[in-house]
Amino acid sequence: MVMNRGIRRTAEHLQEGDGMTPGDHVAQQVTERYRALSPASARAFEAAAASLPGGDTRTMTTYAPHPLYFSRGEGARVRDLDGRWYHDMVANYGALAHGHNHPALTRAVHDQIEHGTALGGPSTLQYEHADMLRARVPELQRLRYCNSGTEATMWALRTARAYTGRDVVVKIDGGYHGTHDWGHVSAFMSGGTTHRQQLPGLPSANLAPGVPDTVLRSVVTVPFNDTEVVADVMSRLDGQVAAVIVEPVLGVGGGIPAHPGYLQELRRLTARHGVLLIFDECATFRLGPWQVKHAVSPDLSTFSKIVGGGLPIGVFGGRADIMSLFSPSHPQPVYHASAFGGNSLSLAAGIAALRAFGTPEIAHLDRLGTRLRRGLDTAARHAGVLGRSVGEGGMSYFHFGARPPQNAADTAAARQGRGRLRALVHLHLLNEGFLTARHGLMCQHIVTTPSVVDAFVEAFASTLRLLRPYLAENHPELLTGAPTVPAASATTPTVEDT
């Protein structure tokens, strides 16, 4: 990768009297270079804004000055409208694990299209896919299909309420479970309106615009990796809590893995109080089902993303006695409608995806993730910048600051006042040919190679070195000293060469 190509001006080249500091110039140059590399995306963004608020249909993928618009994906790369290729280091926010245009998945979709996509009735693909999931996740005794992770977690919560006859849901502060009302309480690090909760001494619940205040009457948020608070809530609301829902790795909240013993203690506490434990494994299935790897048995689980092979899917299920609520023979069955739930196209792709994603592939992602996090930590140390990477397997984040976060409150504190810094890091990595999420998520494909991870680490190191003038002026607390390694040479391969 040719580092900092097109950004050659340094402090000695600044024009006198322009009123800009060296840090201002660096920030401006990063943005100007991004604009110069993506004029077709800028035009697409302007055209899209006429019909799509914000020029996109997904909040996470919109950013200033304009998002990249992509036209093609191949393997672990994507191409934008200007014909520029990028190493894909986000994998559609973890939803893809096989890369783009995986031949087995593509063939399965083409073959199924000829037989129909959603025929309006059950198909053998439903139980074939279900049997494959049950073989991977033994606690998934019975399951149902829907169309997304949002739907899956919504249905899991409704199932828990129907089964227990209780209303209150306990969720993790900063935990993301989709965009339904209950999932939106305390799901993000910023935005929305802060509300007082019904119990004193708990994190303030963040409520997204459009979600009614009455939702807070049935949702209680607790900090991640803290079982003492959960025990206290269970005692004070004994007999009222239907479920505790948790991501084994706190995703949007910062990529923070559960501490050893945390999930096991949640299992013990929920069982004691007759509360259902729900694992949201929509994101963590790519790490290998967490409940299997760590020997914890939830009552219900949710899945989506890669189990659909790149097409929309949602799965919720668990104990057979709980899921019997959906049997028409049940005295009070739960009605479940979904025109495209369990559609043949998604299931055909999902079956191919599961066949091509087993122990060797998960181990490969584990190695890539470990290599990436170690590399990022080394890059920051050599660049003289305080920061640490966190994550599990092929899912990683990098956080600026002296210590890695342990919960969403730590993540929020680490991000406070550093939005522009993170934006500049994101834009410059795009300039260097690497696609990441603007909030910091990094995920790999099973076709990603160690050499690409190493090139990304070098691009990240170069980014930190480039931004040192900006850091010195705006975040001096993050600088530990002068860089200890020289800048990368111009002979490093570019993304087009790799």
Side-chain angles (χ1 to χ4, degrees), residues 6-304:
I7 303 181
R8 301 302 186 189
R9 289 188 298 173
T10 53
E12 62 267 27
H13 298 105
L14 299 183
Q15 298 177 4
E16 294 184 3
D18 64 2
M20 295 178 67
T21 66
D24 291 336
H25 273 276
V26 168
Q28 181 185 59
Q29 290 164 359
V30 168
T31 304
E32 287 178 352
R33 185 182 174 208
Y34 178 80
R35 292 182 187 275
L37 290 171
S38 56
S41 287
R43 292 191 296 271
F45 178 65
E46 183 177 359
S51 53
L52 303 172
D56 193 5
T57 193
R58 189 178 181 186
T59 301
M60 296 290 284
T61 54
T62 300
Y63 47 87
H66 57 262
L68 289 179
Y69 284 69
F70 297 110
S71 61
R72 184 174 179 80
E74 291 182 0
R77 303 190 305 163
V78 291
R79 186 179 67 193
D80 69 10
L81 294 183
D82 288 285
R84 193 164 185 262
W85 287 94
Y86 300 79
H87 292 299
D88 183 359
M89 301 296 289
V90 68
N92 191 17
Y93 295 77
L96 303 178
H98 299 77
H100 305 278
N101 287 337
H102 188 284
L105 276 60
T106 301
R107 183 168 56 252
V109 170
H110 285 175
D111 291 346
Q112 185 58 44
I113 284 177
E114 296 181 356
H115 296 283
T117 59
L119 300 178
S123 73
T124 59
L125 292 172
Q126 292 177 352
Y127 62 77
E128 291 172 11
H129 187 276
D131 287 347
M132 294 180 74
L133 273 180
R134 291 175 60 216
R136 305 283 184 94
V137 188
E139 299 304 322
L140 199 61
Q141 296 173 358
R142 299 289 187 275
L143 59 92
R144 301 280 286 196
Y145 289 101
C146 47
N147 298 290
S148 67
T150 289
E151 288 186 35
T153 57
M154 180 192 71
W155 275 108
L157 292 175
R158 181 175 296 177
T159 303
R161 286 178 168 134
Y163 182 80
T164 63
R166 304 170 180 177
D167 292 337
V168 176
V169 169
V170 175
K171 74 174 294 290
I172 305 304
D173 182 38
Y176 178 73
H177 305 291
T179 55
H180 53 78
D181 286 357
W182 302 285
H184 251 257
V185 177
S186 296
F188 302 101
M189 297 300 99
S190 62
T193 304
T194 299
H195 294 255
R196 293 180 62 85
Q197 293 213 110
Q198 57 179 311
L199 298 177
L202 296 178
S204 296
N206 181 284
L207 198 65
V211 178
D213 290 355
T214 53
V215 169
L216 281 182
R217 299 176 187 172
S218 59
V219 179
V220 173
T221 59
V222 297
F224 192 51
N225 280 323
D226 189 334
T227 55
E228 291 185 6
V229 175
V230 177
D232 182 52
V233 169
M234 291 294 182
S235 296
R236 288 195 275 172
L237 296 180
D238 190 36
Q240 300 179 53
V241 179
V244 173
I245 185 168
V246 60
E247 301 170 274
V249 176
L250 195 62
V252 176
I256 305 165
H259 287 172
Y262 171 70
L263 297 173
Q264 288 82 352
E265 182 63 8
L266 285 185
R267 172 69 286 179
R268 188 186 68 81
L269 289 170
T270 51
R272 173 191 293 178
H273 290 272
V275 174
L276 300 191
L277 178 61
I278 303 173
F279 275 12
D280 180 354
E281 295 232 45
C282 292
T284 54
F285 188 85
R286 73 175 353 257
L287 311 177
W290 189 280
Q291 58 194 270
V292 176
K293 291 175 68 175
H294 296 269
V296 186
S297 300
D299 300 295
L300 294 170
S301 302
T302 63
F303 305 89
S304 64

Side-chain angles (χ1 to χ4, degrees), residues 416-427:
Q416 184 67 34
R418 295 169 183 167
R420 193 183 186 203
L421 169 61
R422 298 180 68 86
L424 289 172
V425 170
H426 176 238
L427 283 187

Side-chain angles (χ1 to χ4, degrees), residues 371-389 398 400 453-465 468 480 482-486:
R371 189 185 191 102
L372 173 63
R373 290 186 290 275
R374 288 176 178 172
L376 295 177
D377 288 348
T378 299
R381 185 170 63 255
H382 287 173
V385 175
L386 280 177
R388 288 285 300 277
S389 58
F398 182 86
F400 289 100
V453 170
D454 293 344
F456 176 76
V457 167
E458 179 52 37
F460 184 77
S462 175
T463 300
L464 296 183
R465 291 193 294 267
R468 280 186 63 88
T480 62
T484 59
V485 292

